[in-house]
């Protein structure tokens, strides 16, 4: 497997790009012409640098608008090609991408296009070069790979084949089902790009919103599987135009690019196995199978001596009893029913390091899984750090994988744990009367530039699924929220991103340096009694405007008595199309404004997370 | 004229929105339902607050998805309407916007839709309310106003008319040519919104990219003119969904909204006059005619004692002679041919105030105009500050209008000036041998959130035109550049915006607190001699990669001798479709990295500003 990426996919100067690409693990690189012409050294220097870095130059691109120009310009364009072939010789690259003409003024005559391409192929042959002809999705006359192949077949030169780019094929809703007609040796090169589904101009979509395989919604696995079944064994090369990747540091982007190929290879391997393919390439990446997820076991807060008492007060008011303290560390346990919270004030711990950077924070979550070792293996195989379990005498060792923001996911083997009493002195404090069912979801606030890093982590290592993006109206801008969840939907992590600077999310991200885990929602069996109990303990709840309830009445035709009950308990309400219901309340800010919590009750299989009520919540949280 | 705006158009809580809207000058407001239901007080309190602020509530909106629901749900939806009418009574608003159903599951039967709307109209009549039916551009069955009118005509109730929203009409490429068929009294309400032309899903376009009239590209003037000719004299109401407006402070957004109505009224008045309309409403805004622009007379730098010597050294190296000093102030004059630069170190001046906020900066430009008093009048009429001319004895008084970033545009009446010697001691230093022709263009760096403020200023007060947006590739993100220019193209101001944090532009905007005027380009008659002269004086020029010239050779088929000349002079090159050419060079950073300058020569009517070369320039400026 040669794993390659186009220089345009990452930020910086050409040498910076190459360094980041090589460090991420790639062994091939496409040189994007613009990057070369902005580079003050010679092509031979780039060739040497790539050699030193162990990078083969797999492709030089793009050569645009060649076929079907006015007849009197053909020689000029052939001269242009000659100069580029000369440049490629210096680069040590033998493959040129030629993309289909985008001007409606270019000739629509198939014969003219073929004749021009034949001239180019002949020239390439003279130079010992290969040309791959690519149908751009917005090409004026050639925009499907079948058309590109039609021209290339007629040219019939050993120096000319086609380039297949997953975006150009899949963005038009096309498939590789027409691949049978094309001889394997005529597939000169393969470019891979994913994208979110968007209804917009294809050129704009391609130039700004491509992303790595696994970060978008195109059927990349089927695409790669069909090509592999066909026998394609050439480079898999990423070509990603993405505004965020252009702006973020090259190193993490290149790392994610490499991971995206591994992830696509793994899925392709599975698809091939499922189809009983006779020949699965050995080079295709394989890792351990995904574990099963059984829910969130606990969440951990990083606290200091100053802020721990504030958090303690808030948690107890909410209904979490201080149930115990760690036998050897400054770590406390809070519980209500199946909900466990850890507050870690231990110096020189991972939590302390997190606290130093982010202040009082949720710094870790613990997942109950079946197959923790497999998950650790996956994390390492995809190049993510794992946290070495450093258990003291008689302590439970808990392994963890590192989140993109430096937080941790602990892995608790389902059925294997020894219980809290092994590590903690447990008190005899009676558990609160309102027994909570568990941690329903954990919202994660993410800086815009890191969204794709989180997505890559959640998809590749954890195998989580992503729902479609929701928009929430903060009174000071738009928040985009996307639910990531385990396949069985037992672990739910809404990812919240805001490009605006003044939204609640954006201010938290800025204030706490990339906020990470931000808000925890606890599931209750009886939300009314849970709310009453919390209020009796002195927990303030976010007020809800009377106007909101009047609108609920209009929208859902609710009974006045039920509305009065909701209002009396500060409860928000949502109902889905299948009659599933959510009743939920938010606390006033806890610990000097750092957190808020949510208590909720799901009825009848409601699967959302109350996103319809985010606007009223965000407005009330920011009352002047 | 009743000037109105929907609360959704600005940021903040409902009371904050209303305050900003009233302060901007509006006398009407549409209450967007979501804003009301997130407000913790009663509708009657909002009514009172609007009364206190002098705002009439012109519309309550939206009432969605009513017509054509399943038959057994009709009564539920009528009950929903009844609740909303009750709410509107408390608000003191008698007009409800009902927008067409967006669900494909709703009935496509015209008769069913009409029957449902008739029930709603009857209910409205009972409540003494009016309903305006609006065809959403993405309505499932009703998406053109002609269809909405078809239903409303059949309903035939005095309580029901149609709402015309410019976006919904114009986004589909429709016109108001069908207005003849609709009686005037059946136009219940008018909503106005502009938008840039974009090829994307109409719903997304509408929800995120609407802007105020004059900020976009829709034919709003024709739209408003046709309605006015028809006899419409009801409110003109802005309904703008815009991600930036949602995120920026409410006050400047509301001010721009008010200005946009004045600007649209002025243009509508002109269009009516041009069409010899018999009845031009008196209330339509009118201001002084636009002046004529004859170019940029000088630019002014704000400097302090520390940084002035650095700037002085850079200017002299570039080729600007220190030609004089102000008779009474710490202000110096630099000249080369028709290019004049002022460096202002005077304490307690406007320049000093600008310096305090932005550091060493270009703080003002002076335009040569025919009709300066008219421009001052326009600025004031549109609610912009003007700078009081405070001339000392024997000094030229120079009036100015304030730019959105606090900078100034001085106005020099063409033919009326007394020359520099009136205010300056001029030295006998010989002018530099290379005589420059003038200030070709001035690039303005703008924080993303302020782009629309600049556009409104440039369009409304100055009457400048805007070219389409260009994209430039900074190695650390995308820069969007839009050329604003005077109608005769004698004053050119490229506006540069970057959403990415690490581009050259974004870093300047951040470092200098909204950078404003950033980069000046000087036109020369002979770029080769101008460059040689600058280098002889010790000015360093930005290096240009050899690879760039090789690409020029391939793209334009240039002669090697000419390429060598370009390379020897560090010149970039561009050619347009008509054979017009640009030759231009950039300086190394001047004054400790604060500025760079550009020398250029236009040949054969080249009209751009070298945007094709921005990528190589930005990369070379950020060489590690």
């Amino acid at each position: 497997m040669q794993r390659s990426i186009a220089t345009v996919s990452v930020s910086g100067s050409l040498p910076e790009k190459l360094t980041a690409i090589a460090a991420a693990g790639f062994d091939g690189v496409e040189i994007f012409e613009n990057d070369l012409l902005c580079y003050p050294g010679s092509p031979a220097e780039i060739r040497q640098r790539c050699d030193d870095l162990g990078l083969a130059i797999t492709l030089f691109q793009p050569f645009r608008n060649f076929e079907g120009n006015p007849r009197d310009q053909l020689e000029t364009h052939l001269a242009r090609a000659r100069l580029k072939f000369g440049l490629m010789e210096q680069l040590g690259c033998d493959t040129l991408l030629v993309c289909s003409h985008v001007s409606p003024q270019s000739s629509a005559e198939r014969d003219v296009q073929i004749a021009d391409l034949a001239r180019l192929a002949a020239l390439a042959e003279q130079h010992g070069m290969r040309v791959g002809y690519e149908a751009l999705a917005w090409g004026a006359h050639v925009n499907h790979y079948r058309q590109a192949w039609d021209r290339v077949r007629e040219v019939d030169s050993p120096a000319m084949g086609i380039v297949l780019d997953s975006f150009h094929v899949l963005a038009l809703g096309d498939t590789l089902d027409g691949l049978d007609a094309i001889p394997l040796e005529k597939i000169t090169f393969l470019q891979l790009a994913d994208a979110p589904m968007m209804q917009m101009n294809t050129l704009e979509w391609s130039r700004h919103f491509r992303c790595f395989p696994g970060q978008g919604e195109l059927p990349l696995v089927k695409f790669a599987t069909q090509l592999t079944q066909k026998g394609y064994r050439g480079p898999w090369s990423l070509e990603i135009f993405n505004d965020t990747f252009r702006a973020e540091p090259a190193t993490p982007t290149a790392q994610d690019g490499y991971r995206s190929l591994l992830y696509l290879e793994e899925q392709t391997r599975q698809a091939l196995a499922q189809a009983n393919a006779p020949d699965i390439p050995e080079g295709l990446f394989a890792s351990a199978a995904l574990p099963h997820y059984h829910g969130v076991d606990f969440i951990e807060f990083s606290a200091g001596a100053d802020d721990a008492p504030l958090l303690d007060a808030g948690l107890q008011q909410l209904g979490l009893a201080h149930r115990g303290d760690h036998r050897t560390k400054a770590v406390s346990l809070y519980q209500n029913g199946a909900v466990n919270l850890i507050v870690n004030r231990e110096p020189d711990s991972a939590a302390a390091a997190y606290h130093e950077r982010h202040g009082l924070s949720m710094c870790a979550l613990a997942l109950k899984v079946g197959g923790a070792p497999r998950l650790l293996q996956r994390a390492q195989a995809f190049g993510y750090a794992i946290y070495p379990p450093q258990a003291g005498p008689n302590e439970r060792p808990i392994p963890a994988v590192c989140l993109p923001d430096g937080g941790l996911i602990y892995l608790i083997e389902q059925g294997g744990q020894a219980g809290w009493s092994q590590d903690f002195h447990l008190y005899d404090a009676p558990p609160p009367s309102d027994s909570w069912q568990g941690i329903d979801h954990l919202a994660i606030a993410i800086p815009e530039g890191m969204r794709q890093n989180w997505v890559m982590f959640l998809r590749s290592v954890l195998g989580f699924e992503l729902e479609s993006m929701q928009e929430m109206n903060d009174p000071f801008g738009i928040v985009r929220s996307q639910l990531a969840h385990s396949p069985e939907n037992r672990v739910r992590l809404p990812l919240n991103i805001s490009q605006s600077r003044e939204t609640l999310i954006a201010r938290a991200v800025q204030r706490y340096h990339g906020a990470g885990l931000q808000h925890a929602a606890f599931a209750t069996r009886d939300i009314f009694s849970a709310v009453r109990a919390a209020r009796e303990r002195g927990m303030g709840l976010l007020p809800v405007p009377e106007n909101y309830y009047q609108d609920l009445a209009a929208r859902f035709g609710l009974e006045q008595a039920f509305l009065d009950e909701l209002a009396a308990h500060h409860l928000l309400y949502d109902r889905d199309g299948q009659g599933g219901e959510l009743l939920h309340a938010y606390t006033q800010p806890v610990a000097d404004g750092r957190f808020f919590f949510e208590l909720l009750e799901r009825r009848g299989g409601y699967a959302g997370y109350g996103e319809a009520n985010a606007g009223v919540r965000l407005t009330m949280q920011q009352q002047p």
Side-chain angles (χ1 to χ4, degrees), chain A:
Chain A
M1 283 295 304
Q2 189 169 37
R3 298 183 182 120
S4 170
I5 185 171
T7 52
V8 74
S9 313
V10 301
S11 68
S13 68
L14 185 51
E16 289 167 336
K17 289 170 188 242
L18 295 174
T19 304
I21 286 167
F26 291 96
D27 48 13
V29 65
E30 301 178 26
I31 300 286
F32 193 70
E33 177 169 44
N34 240 30
D35 285 320
L36 184 68
L37 68 86
C38 291
Y39 173 68
S42 69
E45 284 173 51
I46 291 301
R47 174 189 197 151
Q48 185 61 51
R49 196 180 275 263
C50 287
D51 270 357
D52 294 346
L53 291 166
L55 289 173
I57 298 181
T58 54
L59 187 78
F60 184 71
Q61 64 124 321
F63 190 74
R64 295 186 199 276
N65 295 338
F66 173 80
E67 77 287 18
N69 282 310
R71 295 301 79 203
D72 59 354
Q73 292 178 16
L74 178 59
E75 292 303 325
T76 310
H77 284 283
L78 283 166
R80 176 162 71 100
R82 210 170 282 117
L83 285 167
K84 297 303 174 191
F85 287 136
L87 178 69
M88 288 166 62
E89 271 160 31
Q90 295 173 61
L91 270 180
C93 168
D94 69 356
T95 311
L96 176 70
L97 179 146
V98 174
C99 47
S100 59
H101 211 303
V102 299
S103 168
Q105 271 81 54
S106 66
S107 174
E109 297 290 329
R110 178 173 169 271
D111 289 349
V112 172
Q113 296 160 5
I114 291 166
D116 286 2
L117 290 170
R119 292 287 303 274
L120 186 63
L123 191 65
E125 214 173 335
Q126 282 171 28
H127 284 78
M129 297 283 170
R130 298 190 310 156
V131 167
Y133 183 51
E134 176 184 67
L136 293 178
W138 52 91
H141 309 297
V142 173
N143 38 50
H144 283 78
Y145 73 93
R146 291 170 173 87
Q147 295 172 300
W149 164 239
D150 170 70
R151 277 49 166 186
V152 166
R153 187 187 60 228
E154 296 300 314
V155 168
D156 193 22
S157 157
M160 184 170 279
I162 64 166
V163 170
L164 289 169
D165 177 313
S166 62
F167 182 88
H168 291 299
V169 175
L170 302 175
L172 297 180
D174 199 0
T175 71
L176 286 188
D177 295 350
L179 214 52
D180 286 348
I182 305 174
L184 177 61
E185 67 274 16
K186 285 297 185 181
I187 302 171
T188 303
F189 202 74
L190 166 62
Q191 292 179 318
L192 293 164
D194 203 346
M197 285 302 182
M198 299 176 93
Q199 290 185 289
M200 68 188 305
N201 173 277
T202 312
L203 174 58
E204 288 293 303
W205 185 22
S206 173
R207 287 235 176 119
H208 301 290
F209 300 100
R210 287 183 178 214
C211 54
F212 292 130
Q215 289 174 333
E217 299 172 273
L218 296 180
L220 266 286
V221 177
K222 185 177 174 203
F223 187 91
T225 302
Q226 284 183 292
L227 267 166
T228 307
Q229 278 182 310
K230 169 96 190 170
Y232 179 82
R233 297 292 181 272
W236 288 24
S237 191
L238 300 163
E239 189 204 25
I240 316 292
F241 305 90
N242 180 294
D243 286 2
T244 305
F245 296 173
R246 284 181 192 273
E248 295 296 314
T251 296
T253 304
Q255 285 173 333
D256 274 357
Y258 193 76
R259 288 163 179 150
S260 79
L261 283 182
L262 301 185
Y263 180 55
L264 181 60
E265 287 171 30
E266 180 182 52
Q267 291 177 296
T268 301
R269 169 182 281 278
Q270 286 163 2
L272 289 167
Q274 198 141 22
N276 295 315
D279 174 25
I280 299 179
E282 272 192 27
L284 283 185
F285 175 81
S287 180
L290 288 167
H292 295 278
Y293 298 98
H294 299 278
V296 179
D297 193 63
F298 66 86
I299 48 183
E300 177 177 345
F301 293 80
S302 62
D306 290 355
D307 44 34
L310 296 171
L311 180 59
D312 173 83
L315 296 178
Q316 299 218 36
Q317 283 182 323
L318 181 59
L320 288 144
H322 182 175
R323 285 278 289 144
D325 284 300
H326 197 278
R327 293 179 190 276
T328 60
K329 299 177 184 167
V331 176
S332 303
L333 170 66
Y334 296 78
Q335 283 185 328
N336 183 326
V339 172
N340 303 302
L341 264 56
I342 296 288
V343 178
N344 190 335
R345 309 177 307 284
E346 178 73 9
D348 299 324
S349 63
Y354 199 88
H355 185 263
E356 188 156 337
R357 174 157 171 71
H358 299 279
L360 179 66
S361 294
M362 285 192 238
C363 63
L365 67 158
L367 298 184
K368 288 178 278 196
V369 301
R374 296 204 302 270
L375 194 50
L376 290 170
Q377 209 177 316
R378 288 185 70 78
Q380 288 184 293
F382 280 102
Y384 291 98
I386 65 168
Y387 192 71
Q390 289 179 318
N394 300 320
E395 285 175 20
R396 285 194 290 172
I398 313 184
V401 299
C402 294
L403 290 163
D405 73 332
L408 297 177
I409 295 187
Y410 292 110
L411 304 174
I412 310 286
E413 190 65 39
Q414 175 75 349
Q417 77 267 52
W420 295 101
S421 59
Q422 184 178 342
D423 297 350
F424 286 79
H425 289 290
L426 294 183
Y427 305 136
D428 291 335
S433 58
D434 46 336
S435 173
W436 297 353
Q437 295 176 292
I439 294 167
D440 185 88
H441 63 270
L442 295 166
I444 302 179
I446 296 177
E448 165 76 11
M450 284 193 67
R451 191 178 84 81
Q452 295 290 19
N453 304 122
W454 279 88
V455 168
M456 185 50 62
F457 174 82
L458 295 168
R459 297 290 299 266
S460 66
V461 177
L462 302 186
F464 274 24
E465 293 164 13
L466 286 154
E467 300 294 314
S468 62
M469 195 82 85
Q470 305 287 322
E471 279 176 19
M472 300 172 170
N473 290 325
D474 183 290
F476 300 100
I478 289 190
V479 176
R480 292 191 164 77
S481 185
Q482 188 171 26
L483 180 64
H485 61 82
S486 63
E488 319 82 352
N489 206 14
R490 293 205 189 110
V491 182
R492 296 184 193 89
L493 305 174
L495 313 178
N496 294 325
I497 296 117
S498 175
Q499 286 186 300
S500 307
R501 293 186 316 274
E502 297 297 329
T503 56
L504 198 69
I505 290 286
R507 283 182 286 134
V509 164
Q510 190 160 2
R511 182 158 174 203
Y512 303 107
H513 303 283
L517 291 167
Q518 265 293 292
H519 145 217
F522 305 120
T524 70
R525 236 175 294 271
D526 177 354
I527 185 68
F528 293 100
S529 76
V531 161
R532 275 195 304 271
R535 296 176 86 177
E536 278 162 21
R537 286 182 296 262
M539 183 79 244
L541 294 179
L542 190 72
V544 181
E546 175 56 26
N547 299 322
Y548 167 82
Y549 294 109
Q550 299 208 353
D551 183 61
L552 278 190
R555 276 198 292 151
F556 295 117
L558 301 176
E559 296 294 328
Q560 191 58 45
F562 182 62
L563 284 171
D564 290 345
E565 277 289 282
L566 291 178
H569 292 80
H570 291 214
L571 285 171
L572 300 169
Y573 176 85
D574 191 28
R575 191 164 72 201
D576 64 26
Q578 290 73 48
E581 296 175 299
L582 180 74
L583 287 74
H584 58 138
Y586 294 90
T587 67
Q588 293 281 21
V590 165
D592 219 8
R594 178 63 177 100
F595 299 112
F596 64 91
F597 297 101
E598 180 178 356
L599 295 173
L600 62 80
E601 180 185 337
R602 292 174 185 269
R603 294 179 177 178
Y606 179 94
Y609 52 108
E611 55 271 35
N613 293 322
V616 66
R617 189 248 306 166
L618 288 164
T619 307
M620 292 309 293
Q621 286 180 318
Q622 296 175 84
Q623 276 300 302

